[in-house]
Amino acid sequence: YERQGYIPSLIFRQELIDWANIFVRQYVSPKIPFIIQIRNACSYNSDRNSNIDAWLQLFRFCQNRFPIKFIIICAKSEIDERLRGFDNVIIAKDFDTTVDQDLALIDCAAAYMGVSSGPSTVALFGEKPYSIMNAHLEYLPKNLLVKYPWGENFLFSNEHQRWIHGTETYQSLIGELSLLFALVDVSEWQAFDSTSN
């Protein structure tokens, strides 16, 4: 970034993008795909885990309020069975997705929400709107970050890409989802099923 003034976006193989678009058409459309990355590791850096109860409250609140289908990406071992109780939530691993397929779903979705963990790199190195909760950026050079009242942003990020400090709460998730949803062209996404190959 210091040399070139920009960060190159990650580029996926066309067959992965095609797969992700087919997945969205088949399992999400005409709803709008929002990727949610859940982290629920048993021991490794458990302080970076998702606040599952807050996410469950968000999904419950959004039912019949937002035309969104949440696609959960995580390891099979991280799945909380309560996630299966919502008709506006699907779990990617229920379709035996690979890691690269999960990452392609991030690339093809309308927005990304999650925690400070590896898959968020796809959103980080792109233009997609995102809110990453429970941000852990203390190990990064301070000259790469811009501080805001709500958290931090990278110098190369746009105004719709946010790293939020502190453990996510129901209220903070509603606030971030509302900001992201305001950026969505609902009619365009609802026409996705009929306009895509």
Side-chain angles (χ1 to χ4, degrees):
Y1 177 76
E2 288 177 347
R3 282 197 313 269
Q4 304 296 331
Y6 73 97
I7 295 290
S9 295
L10 296 176
I11 298 172
F12 288 87
R13 298 187 316 272
Q14 188 58 49
E15 58 266 29
L16 273 174
I17 296 299
D18 292 344
W19 173 88
N21 284 328
I22 290 167
F23 184 96
V24 168
R25 280 200 312 275
Q26 187 169 359
Y27 300 110
V28 177
S29 293
K31 302 287 188 184
I32 299 161
F34 269 50
I35 299 295
I36 307 294
Q37 188 218 339
I38 295 293
R39 191 176 191 282
N40 192 18
C42 292
S43 56
Y44 176 68
N45 283 349
S46 59
D47 59 318
R48 288 167 46 208
N49 281 352
S50 302
N51 177 359
I52 300 289
D53 289 335
W55 289 101
L56 295 173
Q57 284 182 284
L58 173 73
F59 302 146
R60 188 173 299 111
F61 174 82
C62 289
Q63 286 187 134
N64 305 316
R65 283 191 176 93
F66 291 91
I68 294 172
K69 175 115 358 168
F70 297 101
I71 304 171
I72 307 296
I73 60 169
C74 61
K76 282 190 176 184
S77 61
E78 295 179 297
I79 296 171
D80 186 305
E81 288 299 319
R82 294 174 294 172
L83 292 167
R84 301 186 196 283
F86 300 93
D87 58 11
N88 60 346
V89 172
I90 59 175
I91 301 168
K93 282 295 177 276
D94 286 348
F95 301 88
D96 296 317
T97 57
T98 61
V99 171
D100 55 351
Q101 287 173 330
D102 287 346
L103 300 180
L105 286 170
I106 296 173
D107 190 66
C108 291
Y112 171 85
M113 295 179 74
V115 291
S116 190
S117 187
S120 63
T121 304
V122 172
L124 174 64
F125 293 126
E127 296 297 314
K128 183 160 312 297
Y130 65 70
S131 294
I132 297 175
M133 317 302 288
N134 197 9
H136 285 263
L137 302 174
E138 60 276 358
Y139 58 91
L140 293 170
K142 297 302 177 200
N143 64 334
L144 282 177
L145 301 169
V146 180
K147 289 191 177 292
Y148 294 94
W150 42 261
E152 293 176 276
N153 213 345
F154 286 89
L155 284 175
F156 52 81
S157 299
N158 66 51
E159 67 272 24
H160 307 302
Q161 299 177 319
R162 295 158 52 100
W163 291 74
I164 312 301
H165 285 226
T167 302
E168 66 272 38
T169 65
Y170 168 61
Q171 290 80 11
S172 67
L173 290 177
I174 288 291
E176 292 303 308
L177 179 123
S178 298
L179 289 172
L180 293 172
F181 186 75
L183 303 170
V184 172
D185 184 333
V186 174
S187 60
E188 180 180 320
W189 276 102
Q190 290 180 332
F192 178 78
D193 187 43
S194 59
T195 59
S196 303
N197 294 329

